[in-house]
């Protein structure tokens, strides 16, 4: 239940429950009062009938004090009596000794005759006394309602105590619920936030069983913690990557740069024959090309990593474009004594970033040439319908949406565990560092992976023991071209 709904229901509860309790107690008291009043009224009428006959004596309504002595013995302990002469003068009153000094208005005496009047403390009735059909006086009888007054006072006290208890218990119950549903979760959340600030590397997940606003807040906080930890890890990883980039670039540039400086210094310090000069210049040029390639790898990696590549994709005919890409590696393979076989079989068109795709093919082929032994075989193939027969092992490609670039070479393989790291930036196997140090930056396959993903595909490094390695990169076919072929 949402907190706003729960608070609304709690407000209704706080308003209704005490009101119902007070109303119930009041109803009980009212019902009892009505019943008690009826019982008292019946008792009053019964008592009144007993004392009514003595009050009919006409002699009582004269100024003879001795006549009233009998009333003091028979009636005063039961009720309070006031006797009026027919002219309104009080001739007797149980609560006063001022006989004959007070006169009531005749209008007041005649008002309410024969009517029983019930007040909070008294039952009162007033009647005239006749002699030969003439009024000689009036008597007014009042009986105290002592039991009723005492009971009402006690019950009123009980109602007050019970009402206070109901209000207190209702407030206590709501406070406990508010503390359980709101205060405690917020307190736990606050403590967890403080702990996260003090120990940012310690990931704890704060649980909240309720599906309410605080539960949503805690879920978002847990998500935020994960994002913060991930961001910190990413920052540390990027910082480490930058350090590795600097170290790798320094390491890989050091060897060719040293060679360039050494050969340049030799050319400046001593006379060389033409053949020596040509040889030195060739070495300097090759080392310069090597350094240029290292710098280009760093530049391309930085652009792709930061998603700053602004090259637009263009639509190309697959057969023509990829034949152009794989052309030019024959001489390089021949120099290394490698038997190169090329095959391009595509019938679709693709949206590609031309320069990046050229870099992708060049990185994969250069990597394969580097690790293919002399007299070994190197296969380069691009397909969008079916796979070639020369593959060392079957691979999975969805040709309905993707084409595939395959580079397969003979030679030593790496372990399955090492193959999972091959696309990490600056990763180089021990063989590449020890035997071919300074030849490449360790960014080639990482750049190839980013280019592949930028073209909607996936790249895989598949070692095949005792045979060689398969490098495959997929790329998305042009959608409107596919739809056009389907329509045709």
């Amino acid at each position: 239940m949402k907190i706003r709904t729960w608070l609304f229901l709690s407000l209704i509860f706080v308003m209704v429950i005490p009101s119902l309790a007070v109303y119930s107690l009041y109803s009980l008291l009212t019902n009892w009062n009505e019943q008690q009043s009826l019982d008292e009224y019946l008792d009053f009428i019964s008592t009144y009938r007993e004392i009514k006959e003595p009050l009919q004596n006409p002699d009582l309504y004269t100024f003879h004090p001795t006549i009233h002595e009998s009333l003091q013995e028979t009636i005063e302990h039961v009720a309070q009596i006031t006797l009026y002469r027919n002219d309104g003068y009080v001739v007797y009153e149980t609560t006063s000794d001022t006989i004959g000094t007070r006169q009531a208005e005749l209008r007041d005496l005649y008002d309410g005759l024969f009517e029983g009047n019930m007040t909070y403390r008294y039952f009162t009735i007033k009647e005239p006394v006749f002699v030969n059909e003439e009024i000689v006086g009036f008597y007014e009888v009042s009986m105290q309602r002592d039991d009723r007054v005492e009971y009402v006072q006690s019950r009123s006290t009980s109602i007050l105590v019970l009402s206070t208890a109901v209000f207190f218990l209702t407030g206590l119950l709501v406070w406990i619920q508010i503390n359980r549903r709101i205060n405690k979760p917020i307190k736990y959340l606050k403590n967890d936030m403080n702990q996260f600030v003090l120990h940012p590397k310690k990931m704890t997940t704060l649980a909240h069983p309720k599906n309410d606003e605080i539960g949503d807040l805690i879920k978002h906080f847990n998500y935020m913690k994960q994002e913060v930890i991930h961001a910190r890890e990413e920052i540390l990883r990027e910082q480490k990557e930058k350090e590795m980039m600097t170290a790798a670039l320094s390491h890989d540039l050091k060897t060719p740069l040293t060679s360039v400086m050494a050969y340049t210094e030799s050319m400046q310090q001593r006379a060389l024959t033409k053949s020596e000069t040509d040889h030195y210049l060739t070495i300097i040029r090759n080392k310069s090309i090597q350094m240029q390639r290292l710098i280009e790898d760093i530049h391309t990696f930085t652009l792709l990593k930061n998603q700053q590549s602004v090259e637009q994709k263009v639509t190309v005919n697959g057969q023509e474009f990829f034949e152009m890409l794989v052309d030019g590696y024959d001489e390089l393979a021949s120099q290394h004594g490698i038997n190169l076989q090329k095959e391009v079989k595509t019938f679709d068109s693709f949206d590609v970033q031309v320069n990046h795709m050229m870099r992708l093919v060049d990185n994969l082929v250069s990597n394969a040439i580097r690790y293919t032994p002399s007299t070994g075989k190197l296969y380069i193939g691009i397909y969008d319908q079916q796979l070639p027969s020369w593959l060392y092992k079957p691979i999975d490609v969805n040709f309905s949406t993707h084409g595939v670039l395959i580079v397969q070479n003979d030679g030593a393989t790496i372990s399955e565990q090492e193959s999972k790291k091959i696309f990490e930036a600056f990763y180089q196997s021990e063989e590449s560092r020890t035997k071919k140090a300074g030849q490449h930056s360790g960014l080639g396959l990482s750049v190839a992976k980013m280019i592949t993903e930028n073209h909607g595909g996936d790249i895989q490094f598949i070692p095949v023991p005792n045979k060689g390695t398969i490098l495959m990169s997929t790329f998305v076919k042009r959608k409107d071209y596919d739809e056009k072929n389907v329509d045709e």
Side-chain angles (χ1 to χ4, degrees):
M1 182 185 297
K2 296 297 184 181
I3 289 180
R4 59 180 179 271
T5 304
W6 181 84
L7 288 176
F8 175 75
L9 295 178
S10 298
L11 177 62
I12 298 298
F13 178 80
V14 170
M15 294 173 60
V16 171
I17 296 301
S19 300
L20 288 176
V22 172
Y23 176 76
S24 300
L25 293 173
Y26 174 78
S27 298
L28 290 174
L29 181 62
T30 302
N31 292 334
W32 177 89
N33 185 49
E34 293 176 353
Q35 182 63 40
Q36 184 74 9
S37 297
L38 178 60
D39 295 339
E40 288 181 347
Y41 183 78
L42 295 176
D43 291 340
F44 171 71
I45 294 299
S46 176
T47 303
Y48 172 68
R49 287 174 179 174
E50 294 176 359
I51 65 175
K52 178 179 180 179
E53 184 176 353
L55 296 176
Q56 298 293 328
N57 184 3
D59 296 335
L60 294 175
Y61 301 94
T62 60
F63 290 104
H64 295 286
T66 57
I67 297 177
H68 304 118
E69 292 179 356
S70 61
L71 296 177
Q72 296 176 357
E73 297 176 358
T74 60
I75 298 177
E76 285 188 353
H77 68 283
V78 177
Q80 298 178 9
I81 303 172
T82 303
L83 304 179
Y84 299 92
R85 203 168 62 178
N86 58 1
D87 58 359
Y89 278 97
V90 176
V91 298
Y92 179 78
E93 189 173 15
T94 56
T95 59
S96 175
D97 294 332
T98 57
I99 306 301
T101 61
R102 183 167 64 86
Q103 184 180 14
E105 293 287 340
L106 293 178
R107 181 178 57 186
D108 295 335
L109 286 176
Y110 283 95
D111 186 26
L113 289 176
F114 304 102
E115 295 178 1
N117 185 24
M118 183 184 298
T119 63
Y120 176 71
R121 293 183 177 273
Y122 294 95
F123 285 112
T124 304
I125 190 169
K126 183 170 54 177
E127 291 190 14
V129 177
F130 293 90
V131 175
N132 297 326
E133 298 183 355
E134 291 185 5
I135 296 177
V136 296
F138 302 88
Y139 61 85
E140 184 178 32
V141 178
S142 298
M143 295 178 60
Q144 288 188 345
R145 305 176 65 189
D146 294 333
D147 294 339
R148 190 260 182 189
V149 171
E150 181 180 355
Y151 183 84
V152 169
Q153 290 177 346
S154 64
R155 288 302 173 91
S156 299
T157 303
S158 300
I159 289 177
L160 179 62
V161 172
L162 290 175
S163 299
T164 303
V166 169
F167 276 103
F168 175 77
L169 291 176
T170 303
L172 179 63
L173 179 62
V174 173
W175 182 85
I176 291 174
Q177 291 298 317
I178 290 176
N179 187 58
R180 183 176 66 86
R181 292 181 64 99
I182 300 177
N183 293 343
K184 284 187 177 180
I186 291 179
K187 181 180 178 181
Y188 293 151
L189 179 60
K190 179 181 177 182
N191 293 336
D192 194 63
M193 295 172 89
N194 291 334
Q195 289 297 319
F196 182 68
V197 171
L198 296 175
H199 308 285
K201 294 183 179 180
K202 185 179 180 181
M203 178 61 186
T204 58
T205 301
L206 186 62
H208 184 69
K210 302 293 183 181
N211 188 22
D212 52 20
E213 290 85 351
I214 294 181
D216 293 338
L217 178 63
I218 290 176
K219 290 178 183 177
H220 285 292
F221 177 67
N222 289 332
Y223 175 76
M224 183 201 70
K225 288 196 295 184
Q226 293 176 354
E227 290 297 311
V228 169
I229 291 176
H230 177 73
R232 287 174 174 170
E233 292 175 350
E234 186 67 17
I235 291 174
L236 292 176
R237 188 189 64 79
E238 290 180 356
Q239 181 65 30
K240 184 177 180 180
E241 197 171 81
K242 290 178 181 179
E243 294 174 357
M244 291 177 61
M245 181 186 296
T246 303
L249 186 60
S250 300
H251 179 276
D252 293 333
L253 286 176
K254 181 178 180 180
T255 299
L257 184 59
T258 301
S259 299
V260 170
M261 293 177 63
Y263 283 104
T264 303
E265 186 177 352
S266 296
M267 293 178 67
Q268 290 177 339
Q269 292 180 353
R270 64 188 182 90
L272 301 174
T273 63
K274 185 178 183 306
S275 60
E276 289 178 330
T277 301
D278 292 340
H279 177 65
Y280 281 18
L281 290 175
T282 299
I283 294 176
I284 292 174
R285 182 177 182 277
N286 291 337
K287 297 299 181 181
S288 299
I289 292 174
Q290 182 180 334
M291 288 189 291
Q292 182 184 19
R293 182 180 180 84
L294 293 173
I295 294 172
E296 287 178 353
D297 281 343
I298 293 291
H299 178 68
T300 303
F301 174 81
T302 303
L303 291 178
L304 292 173
K305 187 67 175 177
N306 297 327
Q307 297 182 348
Q308 295 177 349
S309 177
V310 296
E311 182 179 351
Q312 298 296 320
K313 290 183 179 180
V314 297
T315 302
V316 298
N317 179 278
Q319 188 70 25
E320 296 178 358
F321 178 71
F322 289 114
E323 283 182 352
M324 180 270 293
L325 287 188
V326 300
D327 190 26
Y329 293 103
D330 300 86
E331 180 63 26
L332 182 61
S334 178
Q335 292 177 2
H336 290 78
I338 297 173
N339 181 13
L340 176 62
Q341 296 185 23
K342 300 180 296 182
E343 186 176 39
V344 178
K345 288 185 178 181
T346 61
F347 302 93
D348 294 326
S349 63
F350 302 88
D351 291 331
V352 300
Q353 293 174 322
V354 175
N355 290 329
H356 287 176
M357 190 60 72
M358 293 173 62
R359 174 56 61 90
L360 169 67
V361 174
D362 188 57
N363 285 358
L364 297 187
V365 174
S366 298
N367 182 81
I369 290 176
R370 187 159 51 245
Y371 294 105
T372 302
S374 180
T375 70
K377 290 183 179 181
L378 172 62
Y379 300 88
I380 304 174
I382 300 172
Y383 307 92
D384 59 16
Q385 299 294 330
Q386 62 181 9
L387 295 172
S389 60
W390 42 257
L391 280 173
Y392 293 147
K393 63 183 297 186
I395 58 177
D396 185 23
V397 180
N398 184 4
F399 283 120
S400 64
T401 56
H402 288 74
V404 62
L405 163 65
I406 302 173
V407 178
Q408 176 180 281
N409 67 291
D410 296 339
T413 60
I414 60 177
S415 66
E416 189 73 23
Q417 183 178 2
E418 190 175 5
S419 68
K420 296 178 181 178
K421 303 178 182 179
I422 201 70
F423 294 106
E424 294 179 4
F426 307 105
Y427 179 81
Q428 296 180 11
S429 65
E430 289 300 318
E431 181 182 358
S432 68
R433 276 299 180 197
T434 56
K435 294 184 178 181
K436 302 180 184 294
Q439 294 297 314
H440 58 105
S441 64
L443 290 174
L445 293 182
S446 180
V447 169
K449 182 176 186 294
M450 287 189 286
I451 293 174
T452 299
E453 292 175 349
N454 197 36
H455 284 78
D458 181 43
I459 191 169
Q460 295 183 38
F461 185 95
I462 307 172
V464 182
N466 303 320
K467 289 188 177 181
T469 300
I470 302 174
L471 264 168
M472 58 166 288
S473 170
T474 60
F475 36 88
V476 176
K477 296 180 180 180
R478 190 165 182 257
K479 291 184 179 180
D480 57 351
Y481 185 87
D482 295 338
E483 293 171 357
K484 181 178 178 182
N485 289 343
V486 170
D487 293 338
E488 293 177 352

